[in-house]
Structures are given as structure tokens and as C-alpha cells.
Short mmCIF file of all heavy atoms in Angstrom, two decimals:
data_model
loop_
_atom_site.label_atom_id
_atom_site.label_comp_id
_atom_site.label_asym_id
_atom_site.label_seq_id
_atom_site.Cartn_x
_atom_site.Cartn_y
_atom_site.Cartn_z
N MET A 1 -11.11 -14.99 12.52
CA MET A 1 -10.28 -16.16 12.75
C MET A 1 -9.54 -15.96 14.07
O MET A 1 -8.88 -14.96 14.27
CB MET A 1 -9.32 -16.34 11.59
CG MET A 1 -8.27 -17.37 11.84
SD MET A 1 -7.48 -17.97 10.35
CE MET A 1 -8.76 -19.02 9.73
N ASP A 2 -9.63 -16.94 14.94
CA ASP A 2 -9.01 -16.83 16.25
C ASP A 2 -7.59 -17.35 16.30
O ASP A 2 -6.76 -16.85 17.04
CB ASP A 2 -9.85 -17.58 17.29
CG ASP A 2 -11.20 -16.92 17.51
OD1 ASP A 2 -11.28 -15.69 17.34
OD2 ASP A 2 -12.15 -17.63 17.84
N ASN A 3 -7.28 -18.36 15.52
CA ASN A 3 -5.96 -18.98 15.60
C ASN A 3 -5.11 -18.56 14.40
O ASN A 3 -5.22 -19.12 13.31
CB ASN A 3 -6.11 -20.50 15.66
CG ASN A 3 -4.80 -21.18 15.96
OD1 ASN A 3 -3.74 -20.57 15.92
ND2 ASN A 3 -4.86 -22.45 16.25
N HIS A 4 -4.24 -17.59 14.62
CA HIS A 4 -3.37 -17.11 13.54
C HIS A 4 -2.47 -18.20 13.00
O HIS A 4 -2.05 -18.16 11.86
CB HIS A 4 -2.48 -15.96 14.02
CG HIS A 4 -3.24 -14.78 14.51
ND1 HIS A 4 -2.64 -13.81 15.26
CD2 HIS A 4 -4.53 -14.38 14.38
CE1 HIS A 4 -3.52 -12.87 15.56
NE2 HIS A 4 -4.67 -13.20 15.05
N GLY A 5 -2.14 -19.18 13.84
CA GLY A 5 -1.21 -20.23 13.45
C GLY A 5 -1.74 -21.15 12.36
O GLY A 5 -0.99 -21.85 11.73
N GLU A 6 -3.05 -21.17 12.15
CA GLU A 6 -3.63 -22.03 11.12
C GLU A 6 -3.40 -21.48 9.72
O GLU A 6 -3.59 -22.20 8.75
CB GLU A 6 -5.12 -22.21 11.37
CG GLU A 6 -5.44 -22.98 12.63
CD GLU A 6 -6.92 -23.09 12.88
OE1 GLU A 6 -7.72 -22.67 12.01
OE2 GLU A 6 -7.28 -23.59 13.94
N LEU A 7 -3.00 -20.24 9.62
CA LEU A 7 -2.78 -19.62 8.32
C LEU A 7 -1.34 -19.83 7.87
O LEU A 7 -0.44 -19.98 8.69
CB LEU A 7 -3.07 -18.11 8.41
CG LEU A 7 -4.50 -17.74 8.73
CD1 LEU A 7 -4.60 -16.26 9.05
CD2 LEU A 7 -5.43 -18.11 7.59
N ALA A 8 -1.13 -19.81 6.56
CA ALA A 8 0.22 -19.93 5.99
C ALA A 8 0.79 -18.53 5.82
O ALA A 8 0.59 -17.88 4.80
CB ALA A 8 0.17 -20.67 4.66
N TRP A 9 1.49 -18.03 6.84
CA TRP A 9 2.02 -16.68 6.84
C TRP A 9 3.31 -16.61 6.04
O TRP A 9 4.10 -17.55 6.04
CB TRP A 9 2.30 -16.22 8.27
CG TRP A 9 1.04 -16.04 9.06
CD1 TRP A 9 0.47 -16.95 9.88
CD2 TRP A 9 0.19 -14.89 9.07
NE1 TRP A 9 -0.67 -16.43 10.41
CE2 TRP A 9 -0.87 -15.16 9.93
CE3 TRP A 9 0.24 -13.66 8.43
CZ2 TRP A 9 -1.89 -14.25 10.17
CZ3 TRP A 9 -0.78 -12.75 8.67
CH2 TRP A 9 -1.82 -13.05 9.53
N ARG A 10 3.53 -15.47 5.37
CA ARG A 10 4.79 -15.27 4.64
C ARG A 10 5.19 -13.81 4.72
O ARG A 10 4.37 -12.93 4.90
CB ARG A 10 4.68 -15.73 3.20
CG ARG A 10 3.62 -15.01 2.40
CD ARG A 10 3.42 -15.70 1.05
NE ARG A 10 2.31 -15.09 0.35
CZ ARG A 10 2.42 -14.18 -0.60
NH1 ARG A 10 3.61 -13.77 -0.98
NH2 ARG A 10 1.37 -13.67 -1.18
N THR A 11 6.48 -13.60 4.60
CA THR A 11 7.02 -12.24 4.59
C THR A 11 7.71 -12.01 3.25
O THR A 11 8.01 -12.97 2.53
CB THR A 11 8.03 -12.01 5.73
OG1 THR A 11 9.08 -12.96 5.60
CG2 THR A 11 7.39 -12.14 7.10
N SER A 12 7.99 -10.78 2.95
CA SER A 12 8.65 -10.44 1.69
C SER A 12 10.06 -11.00 1.66
O SER A 12 10.77 -11.01 2.67
CB SER A 12 8.70 -8.92 1.53
OG SER A 12 9.51 -8.57 0.44
N SER A 13 10.49 -11.42 0.50
CA SER A 13 11.87 -11.89 0.35
C SER A 13 12.84 -10.72 0.46
O SER A 13 14.03 -10.92 0.64
CB SER A 13 12.05 -12.58 -1.01
OG SER A 13 11.75 -11.67 -2.05
N LYS A 14 12.34 -9.48 0.38
CA LYS A 14 13.19 -8.29 0.48
C LYS A 14 13.28 -7.76 1.90
O LYS A 14 13.97 -6.79 2.15
CB LYS A 14 12.66 -7.21 -0.45
CG LYS A 14 12.73 -7.63 -1.89
CD LYS A 14 12.23 -6.59 -2.83
CE LYS A 14 12.29 -7.17 -4.22
NZ LYS A 14 12.09 -6.30 -5.27
N SER A 15 12.57 -8.38 2.82
CA SER A 15 12.62 -7.90 4.21
C SER A 15 13.93 -8.34 4.86
O SER A 15 14.50 -9.36 4.53
CB SER A 15 11.43 -8.43 5.01
OG SER A 15 11.52 -9.82 5.15
N SER A 16 14.38 -7.52 5.80
CA SER A 16 15.60 -7.87 6.53
C SER A 16 15.49 -7.33 7.95
O SER A 16 14.82 -6.34 8.20
CB SER A 16 16.83 -7.28 5.85
OG SER A 16 16.76 -5.88 5.87
N GLY A 17 16.09 -8.01 8.87
CA GLY A 17 16.10 -7.56 10.24
C GLY A 17 14.80 -7.76 11.00
O GLY A 17 14.64 -7.32 12.11
N GLY A 18 13.84 -8.45 10.39
CA GLY A 18 12.59 -8.73 11.08
C GLY A 18 11.63 -7.56 11.20
O GLY A 18 10.64 -7.64 11.89
N ASN A 19 11.93 -6.44 10.55
CA ASN A 19 11.05 -5.27 10.61
C ASN A 19 10.11 -5.26 9.42
O ASN A 19 10.28 -4.50 8.48
CB ASN A 19 11.88 -3.98 10.63
CG ASN A 19 12.69 -3.88 11.88
OD1 ASN A 19 12.23 -4.23 12.95
ND2 ASN A 19 13.91 -3.42 11.75
N CYS A 20 9.13 -6.14 9.45
CA CYS A 20 8.23 -6.20 8.30
C CYS A 20 6.88 -6.75 8.73
O CYS A 20 6.65 -7.06 9.89
CB CYS A 20 8.83 -7.07 7.21
SG CYS A 20 9.22 -8.73 7.75
N ILE A 21 6.02 -6.87 7.77
CA ILE A 21 4.72 -7.46 8.02
C ILE A 21 4.70 -8.86 7.43
O ILE A 21 5.52 -9.22 6.59
CB ILE A 21 3.58 -6.62 7.41
CG1 ILE A 21 3.74 -6.53 5.89
CG2 ILE A 21 3.54 -5.25 8.05
CD1 ILE A 21 2.52 -5.97 5.19
N ALA A 22 3.77 -9.66 7.90
CA ALA A 22 3.53 -10.97 7.34
C ALA A 22 2.10 -10.96 6.79
O ALA A 22 1.22 -10.30 7.35
CB ALA A 22 3.67 -12.05 8.41
N ILE A 23 1.89 -11.66 5.69
CA ILE A 23 0.55 -11.75 5.12
C ILE A 23 0.17 -13.22 4.96
O ILE A 23 1.03 -14.09 4.85
CB ILE A 23 0.43 -11.01 3.77
CG1 ILE A 23 1.32 -11.64 2.70
CG2 ILE A 23 0.75 -9.54 3.92
CD1 ILE A 23 1.02 -11.14 1.30
N ALA A 24 -1.13 -13.45 4.96
CA ALA A 24 -1.66 -14.80 4.74
C ALA A 24 -2.96 -14.68 3.97
O ALA A 24 -3.79 -13.82 4.27
CB ALA A 24 -1.89 -15.51 6.07
N ALA A 25 -3.13 -15.53 2.98
CA ALA A 25 -4.36 -15.56 2.19
C ALA A 25 -5.30 -16.60 2.80
O ALA A 25 -4.86 -17.67 3.22
CB ALA A 25 -4.06 -15.89 0.75
N ASP A 26 -6.59 -16.27 2.81
CA ASP A 26 -7.60 -17.17 3.36
C ASP A 26 -8.89 -16.92 2.60
O ASP A 26 -9.64 -16.00 2.93
CB ASP A 26 -7.77 -16.91 4.86
CG ASP A 26 -8.81 -17.83 5.50
OD1 ASP A 26 -9.03 -18.93 4.98
OD2 ASP A 26 -9.38 -17.43 6.52
N GLY A 27 -9.11 -17.68 1.54
CA GLY A 27 -10.29 -17.46 0.72
C GLY A 27 -10.22 -16.09 0.06
O GLY A 27 -9.25 -15.76 -0.60
N ASP A 28 -11.24 -15.27 0.26
CA ASP A 28 -11.28 -13.93 -0.34
C ASP A 28 -10.63 -12.89 0.56
O ASP A 28 -10.74 -11.70 0.31
CB ASP A 28 -12.73 -13.54 -0.64
CG ASP A 28 -12.82 -12.23 -1.41
OD1 ASP A 28 -12.01 -12.03 -2.34
OD2 ASP A 28 -13.68 -11.40 -1.07
N LEU A 29 -9.98 -13.31 1.63
CA LEU A 29 -9.36 -12.36 2.56
C LEU A 29 -7.84 -12.46 2.53
O LEU A 29 -7.28 -13.54 2.33
CB LEU A 29 -9.85 -12.61 3.99
CG LEU A 29 -11.32 -12.38 4.25
CD1 LEU A 29 -11.65 -12.79 5.68
CD2 LEU A 29 -11.71 -10.94 4.02
N THR A 30 -7.20 -11.32 2.75
CA THR A 30 -5.77 -11.27 2.99
C THR A 30 -5.58 -10.70 4.39
O THR A 30 -6.12 -9.65 4.71
CB THR A 30 -5.06 -10.36 1.96
OG1 THR A 30 -5.25 -10.93 0.66
CG2 THR A 30 -3.57 -10.27 2.25
N HIS A 31 -4.86 -11.43 5.22
CA HIS A 31 -4.62 -11.01 6.60
C HIS A 31 -3.21 -10.44 6.70
O HIS A 31 -2.29 -10.93 6.05
CB HIS A 31 -4.76 -12.20 7.56
CG HIS A 31 -6.07 -12.92 7.42
ND1 HIS A 31 -7.25 -12.38 7.89
CD2 HIS A 31 -6.38 -14.10 6.85
CE1 HIS A 31 -8.24 -13.22 7.63
NE2 HIS A 31 -7.74 -14.28 7.00
N VAL A 32 -3.05 -9.42 7.54
CA VAL A 32 -1.77 -8.74 7.71
C VAL A 32 -1.47 -8.67 9.20
O VAL A 32 -2.35 -8.34 10.00
CB VAL A 32 -1.82 -7.32 7.11
CG1 VAL A 32 -0.48 -6.61 7.27
CG2 VAL A 32 -2.25 -7.35 5.66
N ARG A 33 -0.23 -8.95 9.59
CA ARG A 33 0.18 -8.84 11.00
C ARG A 33 1.63 -8.40 11.06
O ARG A 33 2.37 -8.44 10.08
CB ARG A 33 0.00 -10.16 11.73
CG ARG A 33 1.00 -11.22 11.30
CD ARG A 33 0.84 -12.50 12.09
NE ARG A 33 1.86 -13.46 11.70
CZ ARG A 33 1.86 -14.72 12.08
NH1 ARG A 33 0.91 -15.19 12.84
NH2 ARG A 33 2.84 -15.52 11.70
N ASP A 34 2.03 -7.99 12.25
CA ASP A 34 3.42 -7.62 12.51
C ASP A 34 4.22 -8.91 12.64
O ASP A 34 3.90 -9.76 13.48
CB ASP A 34 3.48 -6.81 13.81
CG ASP A 34 4.86 -6.33 14.17
OD1 ASP A 34 5.86 -6.82 13.60
OD2 ASP A 34 4.96 -5.46 15.04
N SER A 35 5.25 -9.06 11.85
CA SER A 35 6.02 -10.31 11.88
C SER A 35 6.74 -10.52 13.21
O SER A 35 7.08 -11.65 13.56
CB SER A 35 7.02 -10.35 10.73
OG SER A 35 7.96 -9.31 10.86
N LYS A 36 6.97 -9.45 13.96
CA LYS A 36 7.64 -9.57 15.26
C LYS A 36 6.68 -9.96 16.37
O LYS A 36 7.10 -10.29 17.47
CB LYS A 36 8.32 -8.25 15.63
CG LYS A 36 9.44 -7.83 14.68
CD LYS A 36 10.08 -6.52 15.06
CE LYS A 36 9.17 -5.33 15.18
NZ LYS A 36 8.33 -4.96 14.06
N ASP A 37 5.36 -9.92 16.11
CA ASP A 37 4.35 -10.22 17.12
C ASP A 37 3.30 -11.16 16.53
O ASP A 37 2.16 -10.78 16.30
CB ASP A 37 3.70 -8.92 17.60
CG ASP A 37 2.76 -9.11 18.76
OD1 ASP A 37 2.74 -10.21 19.35
OD2 ASP A 37 2.01 -8.17 19.06
N PRO A 38 3.68 -12.42 16.25
CA PRO A 38 2.77 -13.33 15.57
C PRO A 38 1.45 -13.60 16.31
O PRO A 38 0.46 -13.93 15.68
CB PRO A 38 3.57 -14.61 15.40
CG PRO A 38 4.84 -14.43 16.11
CD PRO A 38 4.97 -13.01 16.53
N ALA A 39 1.43 -13.46 17.60
CA ALA A 39 0.20 -13.69 18.35
C ALA A 39 -0.61 -12.40 18.54
O ALA A 39 -1.69 -12.42 19.11
CB ALA A 39 0.52 -14.30 19.71
N GLY A 40 -0.06 -11.30 18.05
CA GLY A 40 -0.73 -10.01 18.20
C GLY A 40 -1.88 -9.83 17.23
O GLY A 40 -2.29 -10.77 16.54
N PRO A 41 -2.39 -8.63 17.17
CA PRO A 41 -3.55 -8.37 16.30
C PRO A 41 -3.21 -8.50 14.83
O PRO A 41 -2.06 -8.39 14.42
CB PRO A 41 -3.93 -6.93 16.64
CG PRO A 41 -2.69 -6.32 17.18
CD PRO A 41 -1.93 -7.43 17.84
N MET A 42 -4.24 -8.75 14.05
CA MET A 42 -4.07 -8.79 12.60
C MET A 42 -5.20 -8.00 11.96
O MET A 42 -6.28 -7.85 12.55
CB MET A 42 -4.04 -10.23 12.06
CG MET A 42 -5.34 -10.94 12.09
SD MET A 42 -5.14 -12.58 11.35
CE MET A 42 -6.78 -13.22 11.64
N LEU A 43 -4.93 -7.49 10.80
CA LEU A 43 -5.94 -6.79 10.00
C LEU A 43 -6.34 -7.70 8.85
O LEU A 43 -5.52 -8.45 8.33
CB LEU A 43 -5.38 -5.49 9.44
CG LEU A 43 -4.90 -4.46 10.46
CD1 LEU A 43 -4.19 -3.31 9.75
CD2 LEU A 43 -6.08 -3.94 11.26
N SER A 44 -7.60 -7.63 8.46
CA SER A 44 -8.09 -8.44 7.35
C SER A 44 -8.70 -7.54 6.29
O SER A 44 -9.44 -6.61 6.60
CB SER A 44 -9.13 -9.44 7.85
OG SER A 44 -8.57 -10.30 8.81
N PHE A 45 -8.37 -7.83 5.04
CA PHE A 45 -8.85 -7.05 3.91
C PHE A 45 -9.41 -8.00 2.86
O PHE A 45 -8.89 -9.10 2.69
CB PHE A 45 -7.68 -6.28 3.26
CG PHE A 45 -6.98 -5.35 4.19
CD1 PHE A 45 -5.89 -5.78 4.93
CD2 PHE A 45 -7.41 -4.04 4.34
CE1 PHE A 45 -5.22 -4.92 5.78
CE2 PHE A 45 -6.75 -3.17 5.20
CZ PHE A 45 -5.66 -3.61 5.92
N ARG A 46 -10.39 -7.55 2.12
CA ARG A 46 -10.83 -8.30 0.95
C ARG A 46 -9.64 -8.35 0.00
O ARG A 46 -8.88 -7.38 -0.12
CB ARG A 46 -12.03 -7.63 0.27
CG ARG A 46 -13.24 -7.63 1.13
CD ARG A 46 -14.00 -8.91 0.91
NE ARG A 46 -15.18 -8.92 1.76
CZ ARG A 46 -15.57 -9.99 2.42
NH1 ARG A 46 -14.90 -11.11 2.33
NH2 ARG A 46 -16.64 -9.95 3.17
N ARG A 47 -9.48 -9.45 -0.69
CA ARG A 47 -8.30 -9.65 -1.53
C ARG A 47 -8.14 -8.54 -2.57
O ARG A 47 -7.05 -8.01 -2.77
CB ARG A 47 -8.36 -11.01 -2.21
CG ARG A 47 -7.05 -11.32 -2.94
CD ARG A 47 -6.99 -12.74 -3.37
NE ARG A 47 -6.75 -13.54 -2.16
CZ ARG A 47 -6.47 -14.82 -2.18
NH1 ARG A 47 -6.39 -15.46 -3.31
NH2 ARG A 47 -6.25 -15.48 -1.07
N GLN A 48 -9.22 -8.13 -3.23
CA GLN A 48 -9.13 -7.09 -4.25
C GLN A 48 -8.71 -5.75 -3.63
O GLN A 48 -7.90 -5.02 -4.20
CB GLN A 48 -10.45 -6.94 -5.01
CG GLN A 48 -10.37 -5.95 -6.16
CD GLN A 48 -9.31 -6.31 -7.19
OE1 GLN A 48 -9.06 -7.47 -7.49
NE2 GLN A 48 -8.67 -5.30 -7.77
N ALA A 49 -9.23 -5.43 -2.46
CA ALA A 49 -8.85 -4.18 -1.79
C ALA A 49 -7.37 -4.19 -1.44
O ALA A 49 -6.68 -3.17 -1.58
CB ALA A 49 -9.70 -3.97 -0.54
N PHE A 50 -6.85 -5.34 -1.01
CA PHE A 50 -5.43 -5.43 -0.68
C PHE A 50 -4.57 -5.27 -1.93
O PHE A 50 -3.55 -4.59 -1.91
CB PHE A 50 -5.13 -6.76 0.03
CG PHE A 50 -3.75 -6.82 0.60
CD1 PHE A 50 -3.43 -6.09 1.73
CD2 PHE A 50 -2.77 -7.60 0.02
CE1 PHE A 50 -2.14 -6.13 2.27
CE2 PHE A 50 -1.49 -7.65 0.55
CZ PHE A 50 -1.18 -6.92 1.67
N ARG A 51 -5.00 -5.88 -3.03
CA ARG A 51 -4.27 -5.72 -4.30
C ARG A 51 -4.22 -4.25 -4.72
O ARG A 51 -3.19 -3.76 -5.19
CB ARG A 51 -4.92 -6.55 -5.40
CG ARG A 51 -4.66 -8.01 -5.29
CD ARG A 51 -5.29 -8.76 -6.44
NE ARG A 51 -5.08 -10.19 -6.29
CZ ARG A 51 -5.98 -11.10 -6.60
NH1 ARG A 51 -7.14 -10.76 -7.10
NH2 ARG A 51 -5.71 -12.37 -6.43
N GLU A 52 -5.34 -3.56 -4.58
CA GLU A 52 -5.38 -2.14 -4.95
C GLU A 52 -4.47 -1.32 -4.03
O GLU A 52 -3.80 -0.39 -4.48
CB GLU A 52 -6.82 -1.63 -4.89
CG GLU A 52 -7.69 -2.22 -5.98
CD GLU A 52 -9.16 -1.95 -5.81
OE1 GLU A 52 -9.54 -1.18 -4.89
OE2 GLU A 52 -9.96 -2.51 -6.59
N PHE A 53 -4.44 -1.66 -2.75
CA PHE A 53 -3.56 -0.98 -1.80
C PHE A 53 -2.09 -1.17 -2.19
O PHE A 53 -1.33 -0.21 -2.24
CB PHE A 53 -3.83 -1.55 -0.40
CG PHE A 53 -2.86 -1.07 0.65
CD1 PHE A 53 -2.88 0.24 1.09
CD2 PHE A 53 -1.95 -1.95 1.21
CE1 PHE A 53 -1.98 0.66 2.06
CE2 PHE A 53 -1.06 -1.54 2.18
CZ PHE A 53 -1.08 -0.22 2.60
N ILE A 54 -1.70 -2.39 -2.50
CA ILE A 54 -0.32 -2.68 -2.90
C ILE A 54 0.03 -1.94 -4.19
O ILE A 54 1.12 -1.37 -4.32
CB ILE A 54 -0.08 -4.20 -3.04
CG1 ILE A 54 -0.24 -4.89 -1.69
CG2 ILE A 54 1.27 -4.50 -3.66
CD1 ILE A 54 0.72 -4.41 -0.61
N ALA A 55 -0.88 -1.93 -5.14
CA ALA A 55 -0.64 -1.22 -6.40
C ALA A 55 -0.43 0.27 -6.14
O ALA A 55 0.45 0.89 -6.75
CB ALA A 55 -1.80 -1.44 -7.36
N ALA A 56 -1.22 0.85 -5.24
CA ALA A 56 -1.07 2.28 -4.91
C ALA A 56 0.29 2.55 -4.27
O ALA A 56 0.93 3.55 -4.56
CB ALA A 56 -2.20 2.73 -4.00
N ILE A 57 0.72 1.66 -3.40
CA ILE A 57 2.04 1.82 -2.76
C ILE A 57 3.14 1.76 -3.80
O ILE A 57 4.06 2.58 -3.80
CB ILE A 57 2.26 0.74 -1.68
CG1 ILE A 57 1.37 0.99 -0.49
CG2 ILE A 57 3.72 0.70 -1.25
CD1 ILE A 57 1.39 -0.11 0.54
N LYS A 58 3.04 0.81 -4.71
CA LYS A 58 4.06 0.69 -5.76
C LYS A 58 4.10 1.93 -6.64
O LYS A 58 5.16 2.38 -7.04
CB LYS A 58 3.82 -0.56 -6.60
CG LYS A 58 4.15 -1.84 -5.88
CD LYS A 58 3.88 -3.04 -6.76
CE LYS A 58 4.23 -4.33 -6.04
NZ LYS A 58 3.94 -5.50 -6.88
N ASP A 59 2.93 2.49 -6.94
CA ASP A 59 2.87 3.70 -7.76
C ASP A 59 3.52 4.89 -7.07
O ASP A 59 4.12 5.74 -7.70
CB ASP A 59 1.42 4.05 -8.10
CG ASP A 59 0.82 3.09 -9.12
OD1 ASP A 59 1.57 2.33 -9.76
OD2 ASP A 59 -0.42 3.10 -9.27
N ASP A 60 3.38 4.97 -5.72
CA ASP A 60 3.91 6.08 -4.95
C ASP A 60 5.28 5.80 -4.34
O ASP A 60 5.82 6.63 -3.63
CB ASP A 60 2.95 6.48 -3.84
CG ASP A 60 1.70 7.17 -4.37
OD1 ASP A 60 1.74 7.65 -5.51
OD2 ASP A 60 0.70 7.21 -3.65
N ALA A 61 5.85 4.64 -4.59
CA ALA A 61 7.10 4.24 -3.95
C ALA A 61 8.22 5.28 -4.06
O ALA A 61 8.90 5.54 -3.07
CB ALA A 61 7.57 2.89 -4.47
N PRO A 62 8.43 5.92 -5.21
CA PRO A 62 9.53 6.90 -5.27
C PRO A 62 9.34 8.07 -4.31
O PRO A 62 10.30 8.65 -3.86
CB PRO A 62 9.49 7.37 -6.73
CG PRO A 62 8.85 6.27 -7.48
CD PRO A 62 7.84 5.68 -6.52
N THR A 63 8.10 8.41 -3.99
CA THR A 63 7.88 9.56 -3.11
C THR A 63 7.80 9.18 -1.64
O THR A 63 8.11 10.01 -0.78
CB THR A 63 6.58 10.31 -3.50
OG1 THR A 63 5.47 9.43 -3.41
CG2 THR A 63 6.70 10.88 -4.89
N ILE A 64 7.41 7.96 -1.31
CA ILE A 64 7.28 7.59 0.11
C ILE A 64 8.46 6.79 0.63
O ILE A 64 8.58 6.60 1.82
CB ILE A 64 5.97 6.84 0.39
CG1 ILE A 64 5.91 5.51 -0.37
CG2 ILE A 64 4.76 7.70 0.08
CD1 ILE A 64 4.74 4.65 -0.02
N CYS A 65 9.31 6.31 -0.24
CA CYS A 65 10.45 5.48 0.19
C CYS A 65 11.78 6.18 -0.09
O CYS A 65 12.64 5.65 -0.76
CB CYS A 65 10.40 4.13 -0.52
SG CYS A 65 8.95 3.17 -0.13
N ARG A 66 11.91 7.35 0.44
CA ARG A 66 13.17 8.09 0.25
C ARG A 66 14.13 7.76 1.36
O ARG A 66 13.76 7.56 2.50
CB ARG A 66 12.89 9.59 0.27
CG ARG A 66 12.05 10.01 -0.90
CD ARG A 66 11.83 11.50 -0.88
NE ARG A 66 10.93 11.84 -1.96
CZ ARG A 66 10.20 12.93 -1.99
NH1 ARG A 66 10.24 13.79 -1.00
NH2 ARG A 66 9.41 13.17 -3.00
N SER A 67 15.40 7.73 1.04
CA SER A 67 16.40 7.44 2.09
C SER A 67 17.04 8.72 2.56
O SER A 67 16.90 9.77 2.05
CB SER A 67 17.45 6.49 1.55
OG SER A 67 17.94 6.90 0.31
#
């Protein structure tokens, strides 16, 4: 996809200060980009692979999100 603007991008309701990613669903794909650089590069994942990735992050959150 060449025009990122055609997608319905969203960020987490828990994000603050603009330091986050934006995601957009497009059929069987989930696109990810830096919310501070909307015209920059984006990564695309099959929807199921992205769900598995998010589930893995949630499972490991206590160990990777230490303050």
C-alpha cells in the first residue's frame, strides 16, 4: 500500500506524549507505523501473526516493562 493516509490509523488509549505506534487493519493485514512519522515506513503483518505477537508481549509484560 502506497498511501498510508487511506488507512484508519489508531493509537492506544494508554499512550501519552506521542511516543507510541499506530496500527491500522486492512483485510487480513495489520499495519504498524511510528505515530510521530505518519509518512514514514510501515510494517505489515498477517492479522493472526500480529495477534500472537501482542499475546506474547502481554504474557511477558512483567519482565519487559520494568520501571
Side-chain angles (χ1 to χ4, degrees):
M1 170 161 285
D2 293 331
N3 189 348
H4 300 164
E6 293 178 6
L7 296 169
W9 292 96
R10 60 190 174 99
T11 58
S12 171
S13 60
K14 297 181 183 190
S15 66
S16 63
N19 295 321
C20 57
I21 62 168
I23 64 168
D26 181 26
D28 187 41
L29 295 175
T30 298
H31 306 287
V32 181
R33 71 177 183 190
D34 182 345
S35 63
K36 296 180 303 305
D37 187 11
M42 72 177 176
L43 300 172
S44 299
F45 302 91
R46 295 273 179 222
R47 188 168 287 189
Q48 185 59 35
F50 190 73
R51 285 182 182 142
E52 291 169 6
F53 172 70
I54 295 300
I57 289 173
K58 287 180 179 178
D59 288 346
D60 288 341
T63 59
I64 63 173
C65 297
R66 294 182 185 157
S67 48

